Amino acid sequence: MLFDVVQDFVDGSCHAGPTTSLTPSDKGPRDDDEIIEPAVRMIELALAMRAEGVINNLKDTYGFLHYSERPVDVHFKLFQVMPDSLQRDLRRNMLGYEDKDTRPLKLEVGTEVSFDLSVHGTIHATGGNHNHRNRKNASHERENLKAQRILFLPPKTIITNKVLGKTLEGVIAKQDTKQPYAGTVELKDTLTPMTLEERHPLVAKMIDKYLADTQDTEPLIFHDIQTAKEDDVVFQLIESKAPQKLKWRHTTDADKAEVMQPAGKLVLTKITGDEPAPPPEANVSDDNASVDQTDVMSTASSDFGDMEGKPPGRKNRKKGRNQRPKIIKTVRYDKGSLSSELRKDGPPNVGDKVVLDVIQSRRAGVVSVSNMKIVERMVPEEGAGAVGGGAAEEDNTTMGVVTEVVSQRKFGFISVMDETATKRESLFFQFSAVENGSKSSGPPLRKGDEVRFKIGTEKNGKRVALHVTTLPRGTIPSRADKNACTGIVLLEPTHTELKNTKKLNNSNSTASNQSNGSSRWDSGDDKQKEEVPITEQGCVLLTSDPTNMFAPKGDDEE
């Protein structure tokens, strides 16, 4: 808080009074003519339980926001948004941001915010009405997180993604046989992912600030109950930043009776010089270790929902969880990771040299690839481009439909017609593998052609199409769906277009035109022309409609 200290001349007592200063360093008179209303100002919020997020949904009295530190949504009531006057003072002192510098910040989707995060228990949901396989009566738990004391942040304050590297060199190490334009890249240089402090900056700042204040020896008690995952983040950062300086526990029923603190809140305490420092794993209870009853919550408070008496912090945490993050040597890519030029070209093959950008999401921790380009394609071995060269043939022969043809690179893809498969496989083929294709100067096959081929396996395990031969259209049977409609073609699609048709100005002039021996179209204005395109349109008489797909809307009669 920021205020003036006022002393009463009568009894000498002191009390807090309103101040015209906007910041603690604001001592002298101002140069501008702005009139400052005296007030006791809030200039900084407690960092314990503070978090960041982005508003993604708003309703009449509540909303939801994306939690920036892990992939969950947080619920909030609109009255939890702090008043504008408080927000201006907080942004000015905590961020050095003046609202008059840009457009006013307001409550809308996409606004970045900071807030106090707490838990309202766990929601148990049962999917009894869902028809998912093996999940008909399965139940799952969902955290009921809430946000309080919401503060608007300037745009681009929250870091959502971190670029781990740009224009990195790598080699295609593996291709996905089930998904074209997807696979794995082996990087030339290893990368280090985001640290725990980078993903949870407010928690790290809270620990640093608490340790820096040497005058404050009181325990730091969180003002509400957190989830186990939030508590684990605090524990891991303490183990990495201050293992011999801080210890933690949860409030118990004894604390509730003495200091009116609900059981289950996290408490951080500084280790004094007279107190022996605990071993690095003293705060982690093992299955065979004795547990101090004052450090573990015995029963849950009524505000803790359905946590069934369990403390929010995990007691049996695995040792060694706070090891250094693993280095990144390989990354996965898909078609969305490729540059716009590479998407139009052929897919990357094993051995191709590429350059790419690597990005990590702060929210989910997922590492992804973007803007990948091929620098040098691997030259295939001699005979690998021939029919069957470099690939072991299988005995079976199957049929399929050409789904994609890349003329520039002389290859394409065929969708295998397998009714027993849950997902149709797409096989790669080269033009040199086509035996009876088109003799024209263009590609030997076109998209939609029906073909017969054999399946081969290359040295890298990739399945390809070999000995491809075209089939007459209609060879592959087309089975209609059981709910398909039936009908009779009355008019086949045509390429006729009614263009440059003169528009009649007066429909009543037909009789006079006929009496003059002229056509009624002669009275039309040549400048007024009506175009009625009916290109490639036909007409079908519907004879059956099992699902009432074409039934008139609002017609209740069967």
Side-chain angles (χ1 to χ4, degrees), residues 442-454:
L445 295 176
R446 294 182 302 174
K447 185 176 180 179
D449 286 350
E450 300 176 13
V451 293
R452 178 184 286 112
F453 56 92
K454 288 188 176 182

Side-chain angles (χ1 to χ4, degrees), residues 274-305:
D274 300 335
E275 183 179 357
E281 298 172 357
N283 287 329
V284 183
S285 59
D286 202 347
D287 292 337
N288 299 324
S290 60
V291 181
D292 187 357
Q293 295 299 323
T294 60
D295 292 342
V296 181
M297 184 183 71
S298 57
T299 58
S301 66
S302 59
D303 296 334
F304 205 46

Side-chain angles (χ1 to χ4, degrees), residues 290-362:
S290 60
V291 181
D292 187 357
Q293 295 299 323
T294 60
D295 292 342
V296 181
M297 184 183 71
S298 57
T299 58
S301 66
S302 59
D303 296 334
F304 205 46
D306 297 328
M307 296 302 288
E308 300 176 354
K310 299 178 182 179
R314 294 189 182 97
K315 294 187 293 182
N316 298 325
R317 295 168 57 240
K318 295 182 180 180
K319 300 179 181 180
R321 285 187 57 181
N322 194 45
Q323 297 178 353
R324 296 179 60 184
K326 297 181 180 179
I327 60 174
I328 300 174
K329 183 61 179 177
T330 59
V331 290
R332 177 175 171 79
Y333 70 91
D334 54 23
K335 194 168 185 178
S337 306
L338 310 182
S339 62
S340 57
E341 296 83 4
L342 186 53
R343 293 177 191 176
K344 301 176 183 178
D345 199 353
N349 295 320
V350 175
D352 290 350
K353 295 182 179 180
V354 297
V355 292
L356 65 158
D357 300 337
V358 179
I359 302 173
Q360 184 177 10
S361 169
R362 174 189 169 192

Side-chain angles (χ1 to χ4, degrees), residues 14 31 62 98 102 104 123 152 231 237-238 256 283 304 307 338 341 375 417 419 436 440 447 453 457 481 498 538 549:
C14 297
D31 297 333
Y62 63 94
E98 293 287 349
T102 57
I123 299 176
F152 298 154
D231 281 352
L237 282 172
I238 289 177
K256 183 177 181 180
N283 287 329
F304 205 46
M307 296 302 288
L338 310 182
E341 296 83 4
V375 177
M417 305 303 295
E419 297 180 356
N436 66 337
S440 61
K447 185 176 180 179
F453 56 92
T457 305
D481 187 83
L498 300 180
M549 182 184 302

Side-chain angles (χ1 to χ4, degrees), residues 56-131:
N56 72 308
N57 195 358
L58 287 174
K59 301 297 182 181
D60 293 337
T61 59
Y62 63 94
F64 294 91
L65 54 89
H66 286 319
Y67 185 21
S68 296
E69 299 179 11
R70 58 188 181 94
V72 293
D73 286 349
V74 182
H75 171 267
F76 68 93
K77 299 287 187 180
L78 297 189
F79 63 79
Q80 291 291 349
V81 177
M82 304 184 74
D84 292 340
S85 58
L86 290 180
Q87 296 219 27
R88 286 192 294 269
D89 290 334
L90 289 170
R91 283 192 291 267
R92 182 185 297 111
N93 287 273
M94 297 179 65
L95 306 172
Y97 177 83
E98 293 287 349
D99 285 10
K100 61 183 179 181
D101 294 342
T102 57
R103 67 182 184 90
L105 302 176
K106 58 182 179 179
L107 183 65
E108 60 184 357
V109 174
T111 300
E112 300 178 12
V113 296
S114 68
F115 54 92
D116 291 341
L117 179 68
S118 58
V119 64
H120 262 189
T122 303
I123 299 176
H124 298 274
T126 303
N129 295 328
H130 298 285
N131 294 324

